[in-house]
Amino acid sequence: MNTDDTDTKSGRRGSRTRETALAAVRGLVLALAVWPWTVVVYCLALVSLALIPVGVGLVTTPWVMGAARALADNRRELAQRWCGIHIPSAYRPLPATASPVRRTHALLRDPATWRDLRWLMADTVAGLVTALLPVVLVVYPLEGLALAAGLWRVVSDGSGGPYWYAFVPVADQATAIGAGALAVLLLVVADRFAVSALGVHFRMTRGLLTPGQAGLAERVKVLTDTRRDAVDTSAAELRRIERDLHDGAQARLVAMGMDLGTIEMLLDKDPEKARQLLAQTRQSSAEALAELRDLVRGIHPPVLAERGLGDAVRALALRLPVPTEVAVDVSGRAEAPVESAAYFAVSEILTNAVKHSGADRIWADLHHAEGRLRISVTDNGRGGAVIGAGSGSGLAGVERRLGTFDGVLAVSSPAGGPTMVTMEIPCALS
């Protein structure tokens, strides 16, 4: 065997030893630093749910279950980072501005909430045991080696009997050496299975947190509905574009063609009349160009493509007849379809505020945090806005548009105002 082969095997052995030790350390972290939070959150969740009938739980449940979701998401992240185990997340989005009662109702209707509770219950016992598996596999053989090195004299003095290491009674140096031999065998087992033992913990977590067939069927239904809505919305947009082209720019271009034909006949007979028609045709061409620009802006505004959602909303606000303040805290660009959906949703809500609210002031706020783009539009109008069920409702159309991207819409509009419309869209920024 040459030197290179020896070095390669030594490197593999060292790498495997490091992985074994790292698995033990990670299991210890799960047991000492993470597991206590599982117990605390699970107890708080049980108390909060028990207090729902008396009303206290309606306020506390969203906060407690939010902590449970954060804990579950942390475990998903550790599973992916430490063992390469992917645990899908299938929470229904909750609007941040909804009342605690509505949020509690939505949480209780979400199957993921009950999966989290089931996982918390199992993690309080089985989670601790599986987290300690790699620790025991690595640490227990070290105890046997320490006994063989002389520790047996300390643990057996004054005890009145032997110290049991597994099935080996340690009472003298000979039996201590036997314990050491067993420890060596256990170290071989630890070297082979410690990393896999840590994976047992995360595979158990995956089994408890992964949606079942019912959850997958529900997800398929939601995707089917949002796809149908997206197709319907696209068809409606195409019909609008065709109508605008036919009634606007196309009609003007046809009229211009007829005027140019008339000008050709009048050039020799009545030059003055021809000049008047030329001026009229030039005006018609300018109006046709303006209509085409408005049409293009309605399909995808150039400022949105060039400068992003924040500047596009600012440009939109400048064209409104009502003073509108825009605050933007978005450090990056979302994907083009998400930006387009968000822009037209904001445009629809601002248009509704101008037309129907009677407001003399509007505020728009855009910011991105925790993987979500959150947009709120507030006006000081008369209030009373609701998300209508009919297809003609502007807010219902916005809700369908956002639903295509798993977004949510929340409306707070008491009689007398003010009205706040909040949108959230899950997305990453580039």
Side-chain angles (χ1 to χ4, degrees):
M1 183 180 294
N2 58 37
T3 305
D4 291 340
D5 292 338
T6 303
D7 292 342
T8 300
K9 288 189 175 182
S10 299
R12 290 176 181 172
R13 173 59 57 188
S15 176
R16 190 172 186 85
T17 301
R18 285 193 297 272
E19 290 178 358
T20 300
L22 189 58
V25 171
R26 287 170 172 173
L28 197 62
V29 169
L30 286 172
L32 299 182
V34 180
W35 178 78
W37 288 107
T38 300
V39 177
V40 171
V41 172
Y42 180 57
C43 293
L44 290 176
L46 292 181
V47 172
S48 182
L49 291 173
L51 292 177
I52 286 179
V54 298
V56 178
L58 293 174
V59 178
T60 59
T61 296
W63 301 102
V64 174
M65 293 314 302
R69 290 189 174 189
L71 196 63
D73 285 338
N74 175 259
R75 200 66 58 89
R76 291 184 178 96
E77 181 182 354
L78 292 180
Q80 184 68 50
R81 189 194 310 165
W82 287 355
C83 293
I85 296 175
H86 175 68
I87 304 176
S89 177
Y91 296 115
R92 295 176 181 175
L94 296 173
T97 56
S99 66
V101 175
R102 288 184 59 192
R103 288 172 63 84
T104 298
H105 179 70
L107 280 167
L108 296 180
R109 288 171 55 88
D110 189 350
T113 298
W114 303 105
R115 285 195 296 272
D116 284 352
L117 287 172
R118 186 172 66 245
W119 165 70
L120 288 171
M121 179 179 66
D123 201 56
T124 55
V125 179
L128 177 63
V129 172
T130 53
L132 288 175
L133 274 178
V135 182
V136 173
L137 284 173
V138 172
V139 173
Y140 194 59
L142 298 181
E143 180 187 355
L145 295 176
L147 289 171
L151 183 65
W152 67 273
R153 294 185 178 88
V154 177
V155 298
S156 63
D157 284 349
S159 63
Y163 177 84
W164 288 87
Y165 179 74
F167 54 84
V168 178
V170 180
D172 52 28
Q173 186 61 46
T175 53
I177 292 175
L182 177 60
V184 172
L185 292 177
L186 292 178
L187 274 178
V188 174
V189 174
D191 184 64
R192 184 177 181 84
F193 295 108
V195 176
S196 301
L198 182 64
V200 170
H201 174 86
F202 291 115
R203 282 191 289 272
M204 182 201 72
T205 302
R206 180 177 61 184
L208 292 169
L209 291 179
T210 300
Q213 292 299 322
L216 293 176
E218 180 184 6
R219 179 62 178 158
V220 169
K221 181 179 181 300
V222 171
L223 291 175
T224 301
D225 292 341
T226 55
R227 183 183 64 180
R228 183 175 59 249
D229 290 338
V231 171
D232 293 343
T233 301
S234 298
E237 286 294 311
L238 286 175
R239 288 193 296 271
R240 180 187 67 81
I241 293 170
E242 291 175 354
R243 184 178 62 251
D244 290 347
L245 283 173
H246 182 272
D247 298 340
Q250 180 178 327
R252 291 189 181 277
L253 291 173
V254 171
M256 287 171 56
M258 297 174 62
D259 288 343
L260 288 174
T262 304
I263 291 171
E264 287 180 345
M265 293 186 295
L266 291 176
L267 279 176
D268 296 329
K269 298 179 181 179
D270 192 346
E272 184 63 28
K273 182 66 174 177
R275 280 194 296 272
Q276 293 177 2
L277 284 176
L278 279 173
Q280 180 180 331
T281 303
R282 185 171 59 251
Q283 179 64 27
S284 296
S285 68
E287 293 173 354
L289 181 60
E291 289 179 358
L292 287 173
R293 285 174 175 169
D294 290 340
L295 184 62
V296 170
R297 189 180 295 113
I299 298 172
H300 193 78
V303 65
L304 178 62
E306 296 170 3
R307 302 179 60 181
L309 181 62
D311 286 339
V313 173
R314 290 191 182 100
L316 182 64
L318 291 175
R319 298 197 299 269
L320 297 177
V322 176
T324 302
E325 296 181 15
V326 179
V328 179
D329 183 15
V330 181
S331 57
R333 297 286 301 271
E335 294 182 353
V338 173
E339 282 193 336
S340 180
Y343 173 83
F344 286 110
V346 173
S347 176
E348 179 69 28
I349 292 170
L350 289 174
T351 300
N352 286 347
V354 171
K355 288 183 177 179
H356 307 300
S357 69
D360 57 16
R361 198 82 181 174
I362 301 175
W363 297 265
D365 178 79
L366 296 82
H367 75 270
H368 185 274
E370 299 179 353
R372 290 180 175 273
L373 175 64
R374 186 169 183 266
I375 305 172
S376 62
V377 178
T378 307
D379 67 68
N380 61 354
R382 64 178 67 94
V386 294
I387 301 177
S391 60
S393 169
L395 290 177
V398 171
E399 188 175 41
R400 289 195 301 272
R401 184 189 292 271
L402 298 180
T404 306
F405 302 91
D406 283 340
V408 293
L409 175 72
V411 178
S412 174
S413 184
T419 295
M420 173 179 282
V421 180
T422 303
M423 298 166 283
E424 286 187 358
I425 307 176
C427 66
L429 300 183
S430 61

